[in-house]
Amino acid sequence: MTPEEYTDEIILPTLRDYFGEPRSRRKAMLASMTLIHLHDALKMNGKRPSSETTTEFFESLQSACPECWAIYLVAISAKHMEHGKSGFTIDKIVERPPAFYGVAVWGLSRWDDTTGGVEAMDLNMSIDASLRVAFEFLAGKFLAGTFAI
């Protein structure tokens, strides 16, 4: 499976599922996991060194795309309950309620947000926004063709 096929068949449908239900922690975690596994498709097709670990790959992107690193932490924490090196744990992946009276949570809801989403606490990053940025960054840097979420 080429990285482009993996993107079409696995990543994009999973991202669309999540964006259709943006307050679902489960779908946010699944979308994060499929996105970080693009690295495996790149390695299988000779577009990354075969000896490179997924951690090394995302650490190398951390300064250019902090959202890629955040999505990596979410995915690893979802799979293993924590990312030992950073201390980021699965309980820091929380639903963010929309900013409506009686529903909003002070310090978590965002005033311009009418739908809510999933937040990576301690990273101060919205998973939905981070998924979009990370996908666009990875697709633009490593994939041939144009992909739309």
Side-chain angles (χ1 to χ4, degrees):
M1 180 178 276
T2 68
E4 290 76 14
E5 290 168 332
Y6 178 77
T7 299
D8 268 339
E9 294 177 31
I10 308 297
I11 295 174
L12 288 174
T14 309
L15 286 173
R16 290 178 187 132
D17 283 349
Y18 168 63
F19 290 126
E21 196 177 333
R23 291 173 62 185
S24 170
R25 287 187 339 150
R26 179 181 65 83
K27 289 184 178 185
M29 291 177 199
L30 290 172
S32 298
M33 285 188 266
T34 61
L35 187 55
I36 72 159
H37 283 89
L38 174 61
H39 177 251
D40 295 324
L42 293 168
K43 281 174 43 173
M44 282 179 55
N45 287 274
K47 296 185 177 187
R48 297 299 300 172
S50 61
S51 62
E52 179 182 65
T53 67
T54 302
T55 301
E56 291 168 342
F57 176 70
F58 281 95
E59 282 178 342
S60 74
L61 299 176
Q62 191 173 1
S63 62
C65 184
E67 293 83 359
C68 285
W69 181 248
I71 294 307
Y72 170 76
L73 292 178
V74 168
I76 296 300
S77 298
K79 183 177 177 190
H80 301 288
M81 305 304 280
E82 68 178 341
H83 179 264
K85 194 174 180 182
S86 71
F88 189 78
T89 59
I90 195 169
D91 61 338
K92 294 177 183 173
I93 304 166
V94 299
E95 179 188 342
R96 184 186 67 248
F100 291 117
Y101 180 76
V103 177
V105 174
W106 188 261
L108 181 58
S109 297
R110 297 176 184 203
W111 295 114
D112 61 343
D113 183 2
T114 59
T115 58
V118 178
E119 192 81 9
M121 301 301 288
D122 293 353
L123 300 177
N124 294 319
M125 287 194 173
S126 161
I127 301 297
D128 33 319
S130 295
L131 277 167
R132 286 184 191 279
V133 170
F135 174 75
E136 289 171 8
F137 178 84
L138 293 169
K141 189 167 180 71
F142 298 105
L143 300 176
T146 304
F147 298 91
I149 297 175

